[in-house]
Each structure stands twice: as C-alpha cells, then as structure tokens.
Amino acid sequence: MPEPHSPDESRPRVLIIDDDREFCGLIRDYLEPFGYAVSMAHTGRAGADAALGDAWHAVILDVMLPVMDGFEVLKLIRRASDVPVLMLTARGAEMDQIIGLEIGADDYLPKGSSTRALLARLRAITRRAALPQREEEARKEPEIIVAELRIHPASRTADRNGRPLQLTPGEFDLLVSLAKAKGRVKTRDALLEEIRERDWEVFDRSIDVLISTLRRKLGDDPKTPRFIRTVRSAGYMLTDPDSPHT
C-alpha cells in the first residue's frame, strides 16, 4: 500500500512509484511546497493497485522496479485508467523512452535530472490532462467530425463509429492538433511545440511514436492510412477518407 503524507483533497494528488525510499522522500519534500499532496508506493504491484484504487492527478513511475518493472505497471494502469504518467528512465536510454510512450506514458524524464525539470514536466502533463472548469469555456470548443471519427475537445474524448477511443492526453492533443488542421501538413516541430510545451533536446522521435500509437487506436494501416498520412520530409496530415478530394 502507498505511504500517505499529509493528505489534502483540495491539492493535486501525485503518486510516486519507486523502490528508492530516500528518492521518494526527497521528491515529496520538494513537491509539497508547490501545492502537491504526494503518496508513495515502493513495489510495482503496490503501485499498480494504488494507481487504480484511487483518483490521482498524476503518477511518477520509475522504469527500474524489481520483480514487476515500470513497463508492466504502466500496462496494468492503462487497462483501466488514463491518469497522466511521467516515467523516470535511465539517462540516455532512448529505447526506454520509446517503449514507455508506445504503451501509454505521457512523458518521460531521465532519472537524475533536476527537481525543477521534474516539476516542469509534472505541471505540463497535468495541465494537458485538465478538463475545462466552466461550461462556457467548454462550449467554445465545438465537436470535430471526420468521417466516422468524432472528437469532443470540451470533454477531451473521442470515438470512432460510436466506440470510445482510449487516448492518453498526449495522443488526444496530437489528434486535435491534426484535426484542426485537416488537409494541411503539420511539421514535427510544430506538433512538438503545440502538444508538449517544452524544449525537446534529446528525443524528437516522440512524435513519430505517438503517431504510431494513435494510428493503431484509430485502426489505421500505416501502409494505406485512412486518417493520418505521412508526408515525406515534411510531417503529418489528417485527411477525411470520405472526402472526394483526398
């Protein structure tokens, strides 16, 4: 079971899943003055149970967990929850970053990075996942319809043929960005700037990974895609498969 620390339901709730208790304590002590209520779990199984057994604003998940590693924990979480997940990876381990994004992580951070960097990433993923707080704000974002695909920016949901799509916050933001520019090419740099809100110094392949997972959830064949086309040396474009002009 996670270790609670000064719970306060009015504060954003963060779960840290890491077997390094000293590290967890340091992160907790750093985040709490910024308004976060932090709980901790120190095994993969306990972390997965905690993540699915309560409501969280974000989960910070270490890849290198004993017995059940962070990837397996993330798979369990994603079967039932779209809570934002920030994965802690080995420094320079690009493959860990690719795998994490493919199975549903919202962002990654090399372990050993500064606490300021962790706070910035945490704020970014929770901001992207936050729902509009007022009805009048929600009504400003009309539904987007592309063939059998319906995107609801106000509720941050999407469905295809009436079946809900289980999208991470990053995947949803990517889909909305492409849909709003339907029929126009979006460069990788433009997509990174729009959906990540930070500089990518190490791993610009993240967009390609997100495109791949989004295509899979849309049922798109990458060789003959109906919705998301790759424009060589340019970027990506969302098209309407029912339009005679595409």
Side-chain angles (χ1 to χ4, degrees):
M1 296 297 292
E3 298 176 6
H5 185 82
S6 301
D8 182 346
E9 293 302 321
S10 67
R11 308 170 75 190
R13 303 183 69 237
V14 175
L15 173 66
I16 304 175
I17 306 175
D18 195 308
D19 62 324
D20 186 335
R21 294 172 183 264
E22 182 179 0
F23 172 80
C24 289
L26 290 172
I27 297 303
R28 179 196 64 201
D29 292 344
Y30 178 78
L31 291 178
E32 288 194 333
F34 289 97
Y36 293 93
V38 179
S39 296
M40 300 175 288
H42 302 299
T43 68
R45 173 55 64 183
D49 290 344
L52 296 174
D54 209 338
W56 306 95
H57 291 84
V59 173
I60 299 172
L61 174 60
D62 186 22
V63 170
M64 299 299 291
L65 292 169
V67 185
M68 179 186 292
D69 67 22
F71 298 132
E72 292 303 314
V73 174
L74 182 58
K75 289 177 183 178
L76 291 176
I77 292 173
R78 283 291 175 253
R79 289 176 186 173
S81 173
D82 60 358
V83 61
V85 175
L86 172 63
M87 294 205 77
L88 302 178
T89 67
R91 185 172 295 277
E94 183 175 301
M95 185 54 62
D96 282 354
Q97 297 157 10
I98 292 174
I99 295 172
L101 289 171
E102 284 181 337
I103 60 179
D106 295 278
D107 207 344
Y108 68 89
L109 186 70
K111 200 164 187 180
S113 299
S114 70
T115 48
R116 290 180 63 184
L118 186 146
L119 177 63
R121 301 291 176 85
L122 183 62
R123 283 174 167 169
I125 64 172
T126 53
R127 182 166 60 246
R128 291 197 299 269
L131 297 177
Q133 298 299 310
R134 296 177 298 177
E135 291 184 3
E136 57 267 31
E137 292 177 341
R139 285 196 290 267
K140 293 179 182 179
E141 292 284 350
E143 180 182 71
I144 304 171
I145 301 175
V146 183
E148 70 272 21
L149 178 64
R150 290 177 177 266
I151 306 166
H152 317 279
S155 60
R156 294 186 61 84
T157 59
D159 59 80
R160 183 182 178 194
N161 290 321
R163 294 187 175 184
L165 298 173
Q166 301 300 318
L167 305 178
T168 67
E171 291 165 354
F172 182 82
D173 287 343
L174 179 61
L175 179 60
V176 169
S177 178
L178 290 169
K180 287 182 175 180
K182 184 179 67 174
R184 304 195 309 274
V185 176
K186 300 283 293 206
T187 67
R188 288 175 175 81
D189 287 344
L191 291 169
L192 283 167
E193 183 177 349
E194 287 183 23
I195 75 168
R196 290 301 187 182
E197 301 177 347
R198 65 176 180 80
D199 294 332
W200 285 74
E201 299 176 352
V202 178
F203 184 41
D204 287 341
R205 289 180 58 195
S206 303
I207 284 294
D208 302 313
V209 176
L210 286 174
I211 287 287
S212 177
T213 60
L214 184 55
R215 276 176 169 158
R216 184 168 65 247
K217 292 180 179 182
L218 291 175
D220 244 2
D221 182 346
K223 295 182 179 179
T224 56
R226 297 185 70 241
F227 291 106
I228 301 176
R229 294 184 181 178
T230 302
V231 182
R232 188 177 298 275
S233 301
Y236 296 100
M237 177 174 64
L238 188 137
T239 61
D240 186 341
D242 293 342
S243 172
H245 303 294
T246 59

